Amino acid sequence: MSKIWQGHVIDGTRFVVPASGVTPRHVLCAVGVGLDPDVISRVVEEAGAGDFTLDEFQREPDPRMREAFDAAVASRRITGVDEFGDDDWAAVDAHDSVAYVLSPPISQATGLDVSRRALAVTAALLTNGATAVKNESSGVACGRERWLALASEAAAAENVDDLAGALVQAWVVPVIDDGEVYYSCGMHLLGEADVELAPGRTAAPEPELLLEWVTTMEVAGYYLLTEQPDHGVQNGEGFRITPDASRWIMNRVECERFEDDDFFHNPYGYWRLTPAARGPQRRARLKRRNPRTTLGTRRKR
């Protein structure tokens, strides 16, 4: 059982103070042929409004890239979206230079804005020499056209719902199965806790039930970003995606599967969903070195 979250909730708000002093950041890994570090530095600074920097540059191919991109693409295969094509794989295999780009620290108040700019930086990299990009901080990768489409969608967003939709698709791994629970990864980059669903059973679920669980996690994630009340979610609150769907109980727990200086660590923890007890209920109030990482798993403080 995961440990109860150790941070502090600021009274009357959805904002929290994590026990860890580590702040999330985007770390973008861009590969290409003959990349120019001066050009990369310039476009990163321009697209990132001066807050993104070229952190490391390597003038030789990295033999780990094929495996790392494969793991990053596979992490979201459950969504059914084909995010990497033959041209994208050819670009990874042909690279002879690597650039690592670092975002400014991300707070709950700045998560959506920094992550929108991270998409703008990604698009700028791909239109100025880079041929493939992945995110070291959540272990995701999209193909070139998919990145560009998401960046355009985020730039054109007129409300928080549209913006959150683009950013979740860009930066969050929606569902990972560790054999006991299902969990998301990447919500820390948007300033929120990830979602963890503990069904209380280890046998493989029927496809319809798995789809319900996946949908429940995705809806819960969007709820946290766009609809939760100003005072935040309270431990013990109920959640269901439709009036007839299964009811779950939400409790915030620590992120213990990643060390607090790991890029994937979420200092805001997880909202853990567990099955509600059967019987009359009140109405729901809510309508390790990782192969996905090549820079390493230690985050700068």
Side-chain angles (χ1 to χ4, degrees), residues 44-250:
V44 163
E45 183 175 3
E46 291 175 355
D51 289 332
F52 286 68
T53 58
L54 175 61
D55 189 53
E56 291 187 23
F57 188 84
Q58 178 178 314
R59 284 189 172 89
E60 59 184 13
D62 187 329
R64 301 172 295 169
M65 281 299 164
R66 178 77 187 206
E67 178 188 5
F69 269 87
D70 185 56
V73 172
S75 71
R76 297 203 296 188
R77 203 156 279 152
I78 193 171
T79 64
V81 177
D82 184 4
E83 298 185 327
F84 230 69
D86 291 341
D87 290 344
D88 299 307
W89 285 119
V92 172
D93 292 337
H95 84 279
D96 65 8
S97 44
V98 185
Y100 290 98
V101 174
L102 190 64
S103 83
I106 299 169
S107 69
Q108 285 189 285
T110 65
L112 295 183
D113 177 61
V114 173
S115 291
R116 176 189 57 78
R117 284 188 285 151
L119 263 179
V121 169
T122 300
L125 288 167
L126 289 168
T127 54
N128 287 274
T131 52
V133 177
K134 66 185 181 71
N135 193 318
E136 300 281 294
S137 301
S138 58
V140 300
C142 297
R144 173 188 172 86
E145 297 307 316
R146 178 70 168 159
W147 279 132
L148 295 176
L150 288 172
S152 295
E153 186 178 333
E158 297 181 352
N159 54 59
V160 68
D161 290 351
D162 292 343
L163 179 58
L167 297 181
V168 168
Q169 292 179 71
W171 306 128
V172 178
V173 180
V175 182
I176 301 170
D177 179 6
D178 72 1
E180 295 183 0
V181 301
Y182 299 85
Y183 65 95
S184 65
C185 180
M187 290 286 284
H188 58 307
L189 302 175
L190 309 184
E192 267 301 339
D194 274 285
V195 177
E196 186 177 88
L197 186 143
R201 52 184 284 185
T202 57
E206 301 80 4
E208 295 80 5
L209 183 57
L210 177 60
L211 177 60
E212 180 183 335
W213 292 351
V214 170
T215 302
T216 296
M217 292 180 64
E218 291 182 328
V219 172
Y222 281 111
Y223 172 83
L224 293 173
L225 291 170
T226 64
E227 294 185 21
Q228 68 168 299
D230 292 339
H231 63 267
V233 178
Q234 306 298 309
N235 283 330
E237 287 193 0
F239 180 84
R240 53 163 50 110
I241 55 176
T242 67
D244 297 328
S246 301
R247 184 171 181 271
W248 303 84
I249 301 300
M250 300 181 74

